[in-house]
Amino acid sequence: GAGVSQTPSNKVTEKGKYVELRCDPISGHTALYWYRQSLGQGPEFLIYFQGTGAADDSGLPNDRFFAVRPEGSVSTLKIQRTERGDSAVYLCASSLFAGSSTDTQYFGPGTRLTVL
Amino acid sequence: DQQVKQNSPSLSVQEGRISILNCDYTNSMFDYFLWYKKYPAEGPTFLISISSIKDKNEDGRFTVFLNKSAKHLSLHIVPSQPGDSAVYFCAASATGANSKLTFGKGITLSVRP
């Protein structure tokens, strides 16, 4: 079956521009997560959706970052006024059951964002 | 403040021998631990997990050991194969924390033929 997909795979933008990153979770998975992986680091949590609502956005670094999941499936991570420090790989993951600490999260291949 | 620490950035082992990857954590609320494997240009792939009610979980060549009193876990791969060469991330989550994972920085494993 299809795994988590993310588009685009690479995005190069200029400082100050707006970008959108898309995630298609595994069909039927109710929980969706966004993580960010900077060079030499492990993935860091950004935001978690249970269905359509953002249940935990405590990892978003500032108000330039926003994410939506309007129909409980596809999610879009939006970054306004991009800065060079936003350059990283943005990973999306989904899991079947929401809210259980033993859910296994399945990751997409990521979007590599480069801000020039 | 790193709550999950993988202090060795790399490990090199001979094919057929055992690989032991270590991970330490500081947050006593963590009760579920996972190992992910990552190849270049791919997302992390789930490998094996362990709940805090257990001290060992085995799946084929992969075994994870958990020492709660020491806040330490390790991943054993035996026998190691060249295809195991990848970056391995240790991750942890806590009940009631919406399953968000806290990752270590990863260990690069190289298995020499």
Side-chain angles (χ1 to χ4, degrees):
Chain A
V4 178
S5 63
Q6 293 186 246
T7 55
S9 55
N10 282 283
K11 176 71 176 177
V12 180
T13 190
E14 294 179 342
K15 180 174 177 293
K17 299 290 187 182
Y18 168 83
V19 297
E20 290 189 351
L21 311 179
R22 176 187 169 109
C23 172
D24 273 281
I26 294 171
S27 178
H29 280 194
T30 59
L32 185 146
Y33 303 81
W34 284 97
Y35 293 83
R36 177 169 74 172
Q37 185 177 12
S38 301
L39 194 63
Q41 304 294 317
E44 294 179 304
F45 169 78
L46 295 176
I47 187 170
Y48 156 62
F49 286 89
Q50 181 172 331
T52 60
D56 183 350
D57 65 357
S58 61
L60 294 178
N62 51 60
D63 61 5
R64 295 187 297 105
F65 289 75
F66 189 71
V68 296
R69 195 186 185 198
E71 298 178 355
S73 178
V74 170
S75 176
T76 305
L77 178 66
K78 308 180 181 193
I79 310 174
Q80 298 177 322
R81 304 183 303 280
T82 52
E83 299 177 357
R84 293 194 179 89
D86 298 335
S87 297
V89 175
Y90 288 81
L91 293 163
C92 177
S94 69
S95 68
L96 184 58
F97 299 109
S100 167
S101 67
T102 59
D103 291 345
T104 297
Q105 294 180 30
Y106 297 91
F107 283 81
T111 293
R112 180 175 296 279
L113 175 66
T114 302
V115 182
L116 301 177
Chain B
D1 178 30
Q2 281 271 314
Q3 297 187 61
V4 177
K5 300 177 184 180
Q6 296 178 261
N7 293 319
S8 301
S10 62
L11 175 68
S12 181
V13 300
Q14 191 76 38
E15 180 179 6
R17 307 294 289 269
I18 185 171
S19 296
I20 300 176
L21 289 70
N22 293 306
C23 177
D24 297 288
Y25 61 96
T26 59
N27 188 341
S28 58
M29 299 301 292
F30 288 148
D31 58 4
Y32 189 59
F33 304 90
L34 308 89
W35 285 92
Y36 282 85
K37 174 180 177 180
K38 187 180 183 303
Y39 293 117
E42 295 183 10
T45 302
F46 170 73
L47 196 55
I48 192 169
S49 62
I50 187 167
S51 167
S52 60
I53 61 173
K54 296 185 175 181
D55 55 18
K56 176 182 174 181
N57 188 28
E58 189 172 354
D59 183 2
R61 297 186 296 115
F62 303 91
T63 303
V64 56
F65 296 91
L66 175 62
N67 182 333
K68 289 188 291 294
S69 61
K71 293 191 176 67
H72 176 83
L73 62 156
S74 60
L75 174 68
H76 292 210
I77 306 173
V78 58
S80 301
Q81 299 174 354
D84 296 330
S85 298
V87 178
Y88 288 78
F89 290 100
C90 173
S93 67
T95 300
N98 291 321
S99 305
K100 63 184 178 186
L101 297 175
T102 301
F103 284 84
K105 290 186 177 183
I107 301 172
T108 300
L109 173 66
S110 299
V111 180
R112 306 185 303 273

